[in-house]
Amino acid sequence: MGRAGTFKDFEINSSYLDETLTLKVYLPENYSPLYKYHIAIMQDGDDYFQMGRVATLSDKLHEKKRIADTIFVGIHYKDKYDRQDKYHPNGEKQDAYIKFLVNEVAPLLDEELPGYHMGSGRTLMGDSLGGTVSLMTALKYPSTFGNVIMQSPFVNERVMEKVQNSKDLSSLAIYHTIGNEETDVPTTDGDRKDFVTPNHELRDVLNRKPLTYFFHELDGRHTWKYWQQDMERALVTMFRP
């Protein structure tokens, strides 16, 4: 079956990361520069298109008018170590990656695509560490990125501290999932970690903050099988028509 929408690539020669990165953009079927679109920026971009099946879901949900007009943008990583450097809260490139999202990705997409040009029209998405960097970016720049979809984010003291110290989150909308079996997750640095307890702590803190917050505990483990199964609900929740 062919795609209803179309893929388009943009390249950014990032001065913050000192490399050229590709933005893989999926435009919905009836795309027109005369309309305004929500822009969803996905860390782990290739994984969201391949394992998350985001393009297929975009076709289906747009056709049934179950989501507002939305453009999905994927940004991928070079390898697991590059991903760790950019997405991990203690990663040596995390600050640079956040600046890249705010100062290079958002302006380029504003220039090239008919978005809303404000935080509520832009969403950051990611799984595991990709969810972590999405949250950290929106906490710091809520007027640029007003929405977050984070599936099984990695949560440590630094993340908790940032959330607790964020003064005004009232403009944010966050969709957050964790699997009930994510108690022994192998991580890039060779460790095994319990993701459930810190995610419950994060949920408890976010529940007390004045923001729009959706939390779901899934039956399952820290794998794409379960993130994919939740993808439709995530998109329908966050991109309501």
Side-chain angles (χ1 to χ4, degrees):
M1 208 181 91
R3 292 254 169 264
T6 46
F7 277 107
K8 182 174 185 168
D9 284 358
F10 295 112
E11 286 202 337
I12 291 184
N13 195 349
S14 172
S15 58
Y16 296 100
L17 293 166
D18 203 19
E19 64 173 296
T20 301
L21 294 96
T22 300
L23 310 188
K24 194 173 200 173
V25 176
Y26 191 66
L27 305 169
E29 183 174 15
N30 296 322
Y31 172 77
S32 159
L34 303 175
Y35 300 128
K36 288 257 195 277
Y37 292 82
H38 288 272
I39 312 274
I41 300 164
M42 308 179 295
Q43 323 323 315
D44 298 320
D46 292 358
D47 298 340
Y48 269 99
F49 282 126
Q50 287 158 18
M51 294 179 280
R53 303 187 197 136
V54 162
T56 306
L57 274 172
S58 171
D59 289 352
K60 175 179 140 183
L61 298 174
H62 277 106
E63 187 189 0
K64 294 183 173 173
K65 303 207 173 353
R66 293 188 62 209
I67 58 172
D69 290 338
T70 304
I71 294 169
F72 292 93
V73 179
I75 306 171
H76 209 57
Y77 49 87
K78 287 187 284 213
D79 56 35
K80 66 181 185 178
Y81 304 106
D82 180 55
R83 182 176 184 270
Q84 175 100 348
D85 284 347
K86 287 171 178 166
Y87 296 176
H88 195 286
N90 310 331
E92 56 186 51
K93 292 184 182 170
Q94 202 207 44
D95 285 349
Y97 186 77
I98 289 174
K99 286 179 178 144
F100 156 72
L101 289 174
V102 174
N103 299 321
E104 294 178 328
V105 174
L108 175 92
L109 296 175
D110 279 356
E111 198 178 305
E112 299 286 349
L113 302 170
Y116 288 96
H117 295 216
M118 56 189 178
S120 59
R122 297 190 200 95
T123 299
L124 291 174
M125 279 168 70
D127 63 279
S128 197
L129 285 174
T132 311
V133 75
S134 296
L135 174 66
M136 302 281 273
T137 306
L139 289 174
K140 197 167 178 185
Y141 298 98
S143 58
T144 306
F145 301 106
N147 314 294
V148 174
I149 294 174
M150 51 181 185
Q151 298 178 290
S152 308
F154 169 77
V155 179
N156 65 3
E157 295 78 30
R158 187 156 178 212
V159 176
M160 290 301 293
E161 195 181 301
K162 282 270 191 280
V163 174
Q164 281 159 337
N165 294 338
S166 295
K167 296 286 181 281
D168 183 19
L169 302 182
S170 57
S171 63
L172 287 183
I174 295 176
Y175 182 96
H176 176 195
T177 62
I178 186 68
N180 57 9
E181 293 176 44
E182 297 191 45
T183 50
D184 187 28
V185 177
T187 57
T188 308
D189 51 16
D191 253 2
R192 301 189 78 85
K193 287 197 168 68
D194 167 22
F195 272 55
V196 177
T197 309
N199 269 273
H200 283 172
E201 288 167 9
L202 177 60
R203 171 200 63 194
D204 294 344
V205 173
L206 288 172
N207 262 328
R208 293 194 292 272
K209 297 274 187 184
L211 74 156
T212 306
Y213 181 55
F214 307 93
F215 176 82
H216 296 286
E217 184 144 329
L218 314 178
D219 289 327
R221 295 188 295 279
H222 194 82
T223 68
W224 267 102
K225 177 183 173 183
Y226 302 102
W227 299 327
Q228 202 288 319
Q229 287 169 0
D230 189 61
M231 206 68 245
E232 183 167 322
R233 175 170 60 185
L235 301 184
V236 170
T237 301
M238 294 301 275
F239 304 113
R240 284 179 201 284

